[in-house]
Every structure is written in structure tokens, then in C-alpha cells.
Amino acid sequence: MPDDDHVPPQRPHHPEVAQNLALSREATSPEQRQSVWRTLRRPGWLKTELLAGLVVALALIPEAIAFSLIAGVDPKVGLYAASVMAIVIAFLGGRPAMISAATAATALVVAPVVASHGVQYLFATVILAGVFQLVLGLLGVARLMRFIPRSVMTGFVNALAILIFIAQLPDLIGVPWPVYVLAALGLGIIFLFPRLTTAVPAPLVSIVVVTLLAIAVQMSVPTVGDKGELPDALPVFLIPQVPFTVETLQVIAPYALAMAVVGLLESLMTAKLVDDITDTRSSKTRESMGQGGANIVAGFFGGMGGCAMIGQTMINVKASGARTRLSTLTAGVMLMVLSVALGDIVGMVPMAALVAVMVFVSWATFEWHSIRPSTLKAMPKSETAVMLVTVAATVTTSNLAVGVGLGVLTAMVLFARRVAHFVTVRRTEREPDAGSVTYRVDGELFWASSNDLYTQFDYAGDPARVVIDLTASHLWDASTIASLDAITEKYERYGTTVEVVGLNAASEQMRQRLSGRLVPGE
């Protein structure tokens, strides 16, 4: 009989042991970490997703109520939107772990239609906005994200961090002094607890500890219940009670289109930010269409619609470590459970606890390296200017579309101005008796650089023949063709013959198609 110390290792017979060993051998790349099925098979990952969703749900309640007040509707309209959108986007969205719900950006857009026509027109507007987003998704609007410079993205992130912090100030100004104690305690737990363990999200621990302390000591501080009345019933399917006429469409279409564009812009930029944080890729086209589907469903269930929320997404992804759709689904389901079934308990949560979480999110979201002296010194001034314009415009208007739009416009102008000076024109005169001169143009010719091209020639002093060599250039637009026509025409007034040589195939084809057709009346 062999000695026990020398018994050869046996394969585990217990199925759970075998499964755990198999899982331990699997690679855990960022893409695999996003897998719902792998997460369901790993208790540690599953716990992270569920607890992250719970933290997000708790933080969503006062936010959704606040956005409802901005839109001028009952708090339950915002809560229904937040819950329904989170649940739907968990299945339809293209960016796992991103949180979509009612937002301030979309609330500001739809507030006028509520004020002028009532809440039923709001629901119709939200549904139409979702339809617009589906159409924009099918048209490939997500591909336009490639034209947003990184400096605009940095400005977008920094501006949102500032706006998140500013949004907490009403709960920190003119409040009882215990609020500051609770908020400081909450921040301390959030920052220090991860040093002990990351098994439980620090924001959740902070909310629980601060709430229990406030209840035990009977502190008289503002609570979630003070923000507004929570719903006592689940949302039901409804069809907006509006006339199905052209006049109704004329009323809601402008607001719906604005909501669709603002919602997609914020959602796609948030998705790109999460891509960078998690080192994974996501389908922006699917996300665009998912946002549309989520808004349509939210409208039919009495919600005010919305889009991706960068603050809640940062709680989910950065503070809690979630990576899959399970966290988003949990957030939506738990938000409804907490609001409807546990409203009395949730109403006792001090606002200071949630303020601490959001202040941490603001701090964690801000790109601090972007304002370091070493970074600013190394960064081109134009890039810094674009970031500052984006931040200033977004914070001043509280409108992400305005901030990003002005940032992109600034980047375009500065880029065009810089590239315009890259074109050089060198004059080479041949032998004196040859009676000709050659101009060699080096650089990309488009509307900004070709405008200066006209002034680079000595029309009165050149001999009878001029050669313009464009071997080292490329013609990009009609403005350049018009400039070449103007140069040729002016030389002809002096009796000079102009020959354009060295064009590549694409530039030659464009010139043949447009030359002589760009002057009015011809």
C-alpha cells in the first residue's frame, strides 16, 4: 500500500471545486471582466456588481428628484425615468456599466414644453426624442465622435466635475453644523476605507455609517425625504394624452430634437470616458440606439427621459469597480424597490451622506494632471485654450452641448490657423534668357491656407511664362481651385502664361471638374 505522502494528485470530483479551479485558470482581461456570464460564475465579481448598483440607486434618488423639479414635474416622473432607463439601457446599451437616467441637461431642454403645454406633452416629447435618437444611431452619428479632440474631452470631463461639485453646494450652504461633521466623516470613510478592504464599496459603507450615526444621535439634518415625496406605486404603461396632429408635432419636435442631440452627445462622450477608464471598447452606434429605445420606453411609462449620467457612472465604475450590465440593471431595479417599497427607510438617509459621495465623485472625475504646471508647460497653448474654452462655456451655461460645440469650434479655428502657415511658396527663376519662372508650393491647400496663396506671386515683375509646381501639395477643396483660377486670371491681365504642374490624380480630377465654374455668372 503506498504511503499517503506519495499518493499521486487526484482530479477533484466535487463539481463546485472543479468549476472554481477552471475559473481560476481563465484569463481576466478587461473584455472578459465585462462578461455577464463570467461574473455570474464568480461570487466576488457578482458581489461587486450588485453592491455598486445599490450605491448608484441610493445616489440616484435625490438627483432624480432634483431634476424633476428643474423640469417642473412631480418627483415620481424623474424617479420613474431613472429606473426605467437604467433597466432598459442595461439590455440595449452599447457601453456596459454605464448609468443612464434622468439628467439636468435633458431636464433643462424639456422644461419649457412642460411649462407651456403640460406633462402629457412632455411624455410625447420624450418618446419622439427617442425616435430621433434611433434614427441618428442608424445614420451613424456616433462616428462623429472621432472629430472631437482630446482637449475637448478633457475640458468636458473637468467641466462636469466642477458642475457635480457646484450641484452639492445648496446642501452645504445654510445648513445645521452637524451636516459638515457628517459630510466630513463620509468623505473620510470613502478615502480611507479602501486601505482596509475593497470587498465592499467604500461609498456604500460611508452611506450606511453616516445614516446610522445620524439616526442614533438623532441629528436634525436634511434627509432624502425632505427633497420630495417618493412614489408609492410602480409605473404603468400609458399613451400620452395629446392630440395626434401636425400641430402637436410642430410643438414637440424642436424640443425632442434638442433633447435627442444633447442626450446623445453626453452619452457618447461619457461612453468614451468609460472606455478609457476600463481599457475596453464599446459600440457607440448601439449606445445611440439604446438611448433612443430607453427614452421611448421611459416616455410610455410616465418618465421624463434622460441620458447617460457621468456622476453616477463614475460611482459605478471608478468608485465601486463595476464593469458589467448587471450593475446598471441592479441600479434600476433597486431604485424602484427603494423608492416604492422602502421609501420610509430611504427617506431617513442624510443628504450629507450622499453629498460626500458626490464630492468624492467630483474629485475623482477631475483630470488633475491636466492642470499640473509640468503638463501646462509641455502642452501646446492651443490645446490648453481649447480645454479652457470647453470648461468655461460648459460651467457658465450648464449646457454640455454648448460647451463641447464651442470647444470643437475653437479647436477647428486654431488648427486651421496653424495649418495655414505650413504652406510655403519658393520662387525659382530660370536662366535670364529663358523667360520663365517656377513657383514651388509645399503644403496642404484648403480654404484657410489657399487664401494666402494669392498674395505670394509677383504678378507685375514675372516674365512671360510662369510654372506653378504643386508636386508637394494637395488640393482639398473648392476654395483652393478658386484661388488658382484667380492667380491664373490675374497673370493673364499682364499677358503672362501660367502652367500648373505636379498635381496628383485626385487634385487634377478636382481641378478639371471645378476650374472655371466657381465665379458667379460663368
Side-chain angles (χ1 to χ4, degrees):
M1 185 174 181
D3 187 82
D4 288 343
D5 292 337
H6 297 87
V7 174
Q10 301 293 316
R11 296 178 62 84
H13 297 289
H14 198 286
E16 291 184 2
V17 176
Q19 185 184 48
N20 289 335
L21 286 176
L23 286 171
S24 67
R25 298 189 187 102
E26 293 180 358
T28 56
S29 66
E31 289 77 10
Q32 291 175 327
R33 181 63 179 84
Q34 291 184 132
S35 170
V36 172
W37 298 115
R38 282 191 170 87
T39 300
L40 289 174
R41 296 164 63 189
R42 287 182 178 251
W45 289 4
L46 181 59
K47 180 188 65 176
T48 298
E49 300 296 315
L50 297 180
L51 292 180
L54 176 59
V55 175
V56 170
L58 286 169
L60 268 175
I61 292 175
E63 299 256 325
I65 294 174
F67 300 149
S68 300
L69 300 178
I70 292 175
V73 296
D74 190 275
K76 69 180 181 181
V77 176
L79 289 167
Y80 286 163
S83 178
V84 170
M85 288 201 69
I87 292 172
V88 174
I89 207 68
F91 294 96
L92 301 183
R95 174 62 259 177
M98 192 167 75
I99 304 296
S100 293
T103 63
T106 54
L108 288 170
V109 171
V110 299
V113 76
V114 177
S116 60
H117 292 82
V119 71
Q120 294 296 324
Y121 276 77
L122 166 66
F123 300 149
T125 300
V126 171
I127 294 170
L128 183 58
V131 174
F132 282 148
Q133 289 178 329
L134 283 175
V135 173
L136 291 172
L138 289 172
L139 293 175
V141 69
R143 288 193 290 269
L144 296 177
M145 284 296 296
R146 72 185 66 179
F147 297 108
I148 297 182
R150 183 163 185 81
S151 52
V152 174
M153 274 295 301
T154 302
F156 163 81
V157 172
N158 289 346
L160 281 178
I162 295 171
L163 289 176
I164 290 171
F165 179 78
I166 292 175
Q168 311 313 310
L169 294 181
D171 293 307
L172 292 173
I173 297 176
V175 295
W177 65 266
V179 170
Y180 302 107
V181 176
L182 294 178
L185 173 63
L187 280 171
I189 293 173
I190 293 173
F191 278 102
L192 298 177
F193 188 77
R195 297 185 179 184
L196 299 177
T197 178
T198 56
V200 181
L204 178 59
V205 176
S206 174
I207 293 172
V208 171
V209 171
V210 171
T211 301
L212 292 177
L213 177 62
I215 294 174
V217 184
Q218 297 183 350
M219 292 183 178
S220 179
V221 294
T223 63
V224 171
D226 297 331
K227 285 290 184 179
E229 186 177 353
L230 299 180
D232 55 5
L234 295 174
V236 295
F237 182 84
L238 59 84
I239 296 177
Q241 300 300 306
V242 298
F244 292 91
T245 62
V246 175
E247 288 75 15
T248 300
L249 184 62
Q250 290 175 339
V251 170
I252 67 175
Y255 299 104
L257 182 59
M259 178 181 174
V261 172
V262 170
L264 280 185
L265 181 63
E266 184 167 354
S267 299
L268 293 177
M269 295 192 73
T270 303
K272 190 174 186 301
L273 175 62
V274 178
D275 289 352
D276 293 339
I277 292 174
T278 60
D279 293 325
T280 57
R281 299 177 63 184
S282 60
S283 172
K284 305 303 184 296
T285 297
R286 179 178 173 180
E287 183 61 40
S288 301
M289 299 178 68
Q291 291 291 328
N295 274 307
I296 291 173
V297 176
F300 278 121
F301 278 89
M304 58 184 281
C307 60
M309 301 184 71
I310 188 170
Q312 308 300 330
T313 299
M314 290 300 100
I315 292 176
N316 197 44
V317 175
K318 209 165 187 178
S320 303
R323 291 294 182 270
T324 77
R325 300 173 188 275
L326 287 174
S327 59
T328 307
L329 178 62
T330 301
V333 172
M334 289 304 301
L335 174 59
M336 190 58 62
V337 171
L338 292 172
S339 300
V340 177
L342 303 174
D344 293 338
I345 297 176
V346 173
M348 293 187 292
V349 175
M351 283 303 303
L354 301 178
V355 167
V357 174
M358 297 311 296
V359 169
F360 168 76
V361 169
S362 172
W363 176 86
T365 301
F366 197 90
E367 297 281 355
W368 294 101
H369 69 86
S370 65
I371 60 173
R372 290 175 184 165
S374 58
T375 302
L376 294 175
K377 184 178 180 180
M379 191 71 65
K381 291 183 174 58
S382 59
E383 300 284 327
T384 302
V386 169
M387 181 191 71
L388 293 176
V389 167
T390 305
V391 171
T394 303
V395 173
T396 301
T397 64
S398 297
N399 190 319
L400 296 171
V402 172
V404 173
L406 288 178
V408 172
L409 181 61
T410 303
M412 290 172 58
V413 171
L414 293 176
F415 174 77
R417 183 172 178 269
R418 186 168 69 245
V419 173
H421 298 294
F422 287 166
V423 175
T424 59
V425 179
R426 297 192 302 274
R427 184 178 185 274
T428 304
E429 190 169 358
R430 296 185 179 179
E431 298 177 4
D433 57 349
S436 67
V437 66
T438 298
Y439 286 90
R440 300 187 185 279
V441 182
D442 187 356
E444 303 299 309
L445 294 174
F446 65 111
W447 56 269
S449 58
S450 60
N451 285 335
D452 293 337
L453 188 66
Y454 182 82
T455 64
Q456 303 296 313
F457 298 85
D458 184 6
Y459 299 99
D462 282 339
R465 181 172 180 271
V466 170
V467 177
I468 302 178
D469 185 356
L470 298 175
T471 303
S473 300
H474 183 91
L475 311 186
W476 285 103
D477 57 12
S479 296
T480 304
I481 307 299
S483 295
L484 288 176
D485 287 349
I487 293 168
T488 302
E489 182 180 330
K490 188 164 185 176
Y491 267 121
E492 288 176 351
R493 296 176 194 165
Y494 288 94
T496 301
T497 302
V498 177
E499 180 183 3
V500 178
V501 300
L503 287 173
N504 57 39
S507 299
E508 180 64 36
Q509 185 179 10
M510 178 183 289
R511 185 164 183 256
Q512 289 180 359
R513 186 173 69 251
L514 298 177
S515 183
R517 300 172 182 264
L518 301 174
V519 179
E522 293 189 2

